[in-house]
Amino acid sequence: SQKIEQNSEALNIQEGKTATLTCNYTNYSPAYLQWYRQDPGRGPVFLLLIRENEKEKRKERLKVTFDTTLKQSLFHITASQPADSATYLCALADNTGKLIFGQGTTLQVKP
Amino acid sequence: EPEVTQTPSHQVTQMGQEVILRCVPISNHLYFYWYRQILGQKVEFLVSFYNNEISEKSEIFDDQFSVERPDGSNFTLKIRSTKLEDSAMYFCASSGGTGGGGANVLTFGAGSRLTVL
């Protein structure tokens, strides 16, 4: 079955720097991959979706890449701000179509 | 912006009691889901629901769990006889479906925290 691996260690960076989070998956390449943000005690919030035929997708300060050869997606936040501090979840559809989530990586942006 | 609403936000119950968690999905969405998240762990799929029936359920979703869409707006998750290990945050989500290209973007509610004592 499909497995998603995200770095479970928290990522600490200084305000203004670029944060880069990694998502690796183990089996077949999905047709698309999604990134969500989750704040403590809240539900995940959709951020970006990238399709298998897209190498890169941008939305404001966010950028996502998708490498089906490496079976990896990278999520970048440029000019990071303390308000970007949250847990970021990678998600993709498994072989039955349901969305499954990675463990998430917690980002802490220090002022 | 349309949102998914969940009630209650927090419920404390005794082991063995029945619990019903309620959700009002986005009105024009067709697909409904329950996920749960045990503290410190990942968001796990429980069940999906479409056209008034379960589309898929996970191994977690055993006979103690049931879902219902009783009146065309609410979507409920019932746990018949709660166990200590049912303590978790339960998230309802809805989506408009797998539109162009098969993408299924979920809108989540804020969650219902269930504590079983």
Side-chain angles (χ1 to χ4, degrees), chain B residues 25 29-33 48-50 55 93-98 104 106:
Chain B
H29 280 183
L30 301 175
Y31 297 80
F32 313 111
Y33 308 84
S48 58
F49 192 87
Y50 170 71
S55 312
S94 68
S95 80
T98 55
N104 193 22
L106 302 188

Side-chain angles (χ1 to χ4, degrees), chain A residues 43-60:
Chain A
V45 174
F46 170 75
L47 294 175
L48 273 172
L49 177 150
I50 186 165
R51 300 185 189 280
E52 61 180 337
N53 61 349
E54 297 174 315
K55 288 275 191 283
E56 182 180 297
K57 197 81 167 278
R58 290 176 187 259
K59 179 183 172 183
E60 297 171 354

Side-chain angles (χ1 to χ4, degrees), chain A residues 4 31-32 34 36 38 41-46 49 51 89 94 96-104, chain B residues 35 37 40-43 45 56 89 91 98-111 113:
Chain A
I4 303 173
Y32 58 88
Q34 303 181 34
Y36 287 74
Q38 187 176 27
R42 308 291 293 176
V45 174
F46 170 75
L49 177 150
R51 300 185 189 280
L89 312 177
D94 74 357
T96 66
K98 67 179 183 287
L99 207 60
I100 59 172
F101 288 83
Q103 176 85 9
Chain B
Y35 284 77
Q37 186 173 33
Q41 297 187 25
K42 67 180 179 181
V43 176
F45 171 81
E56 189 176 353
M89 184 75 110
F91 293 110
T98 55
N104 193 22
V105 172
L106 302 188
T107 302
F108 283 83
R113 180 170 299 285

Side-chain angles (χ1 to χ4, degrees), chain A:
Chain A
S1 62
Q2 185 74 279
K3 284 190 171 51
I4 303 173
E5 295 162 357
Q6 293 185 257
N7 192 347
S8 57
E9 286 186 22
L11 178 63
N12 295 298
I13 65 167
Q14 207 64 37
E15 182 176 8
K17 300 292 187 189
T18 296
T20 299
L21 286 66
T22 305
C23 171
N24 294 296
Y25 54 92
T26 57
N27 282 344
Y28 60 89
S29 280
Y32 58 88
L33 188 145
Q34 303 181 34
W35 284 89
Y36 287 74
R37 169 181 172 143
Q38 187 176 27
D39 290 285
R42 308 291 293 176
V45 174
F46 170 75
L47 294 175
L48 273 172
L49 177 150
I50 186 165
R51 300 185 189 280
E52 61 180 337
N53 61 349
E54 297 174 315
K55 288 275 191 283
E56 182 180 297
K57 197 81 167 278
R58 290 176 187 259
K59 179 183 172 183
E60 297 171 354
R61 293 184 296 110
L62 309 181
K63 183 178 88 170
V64 171
T65 63
F66 193 8
D67 188 327
T68 55
T69 304
L70 292 178
K71 295 188 178 181
Q72 182 179 81
S73 175
L74 298 179
F75 176 82
H76 307 270
I77 306 176
T78 57
S80 59
Q81 304 164 1
D84 296 326
S85 299
T87 297
Y88 292 87
L89 312 177
C90 172
L92 49 83
D94 74 357
N95 58 342
T96 66
K98 67 179 183 287
L99 207 60
I100 59 172
F101 288 83
Q103 176 85 9
T105 299
T106 298
L107 172 67
Q108 188 73 33
V109 181
K110 297 184 191 303

Side-chain angles (χ1 to χ4, degrees), chain B residues 53-102:
Chain B
E53 60 183 28
I54 290 175
S55 312
E56 189 176 353
K57 56 185 181 180
S58 71
E59 292 173 355
I60 304 166
F61 195 89
D62 63 21
D63 292 343
Q64 293 300 313
F65 289 85
S66 63
V67 289
E68 208 175 34
R69 188 158 158 80
D71 57 12
S73 61
N74 290 284
F75 180 49
T76 62
L77 174 69
K78 182 193 290 187
I79 310 174
R80 285 191 190 82
S81 177
T82 50
K83 303 190 273 285
L84 295 176
E85 54 265 37
D86 293 329
S87 294
M89 184 75 110
Y90 288 81
F91 293 110
C92 174
S94 68
S95 80
T98 55

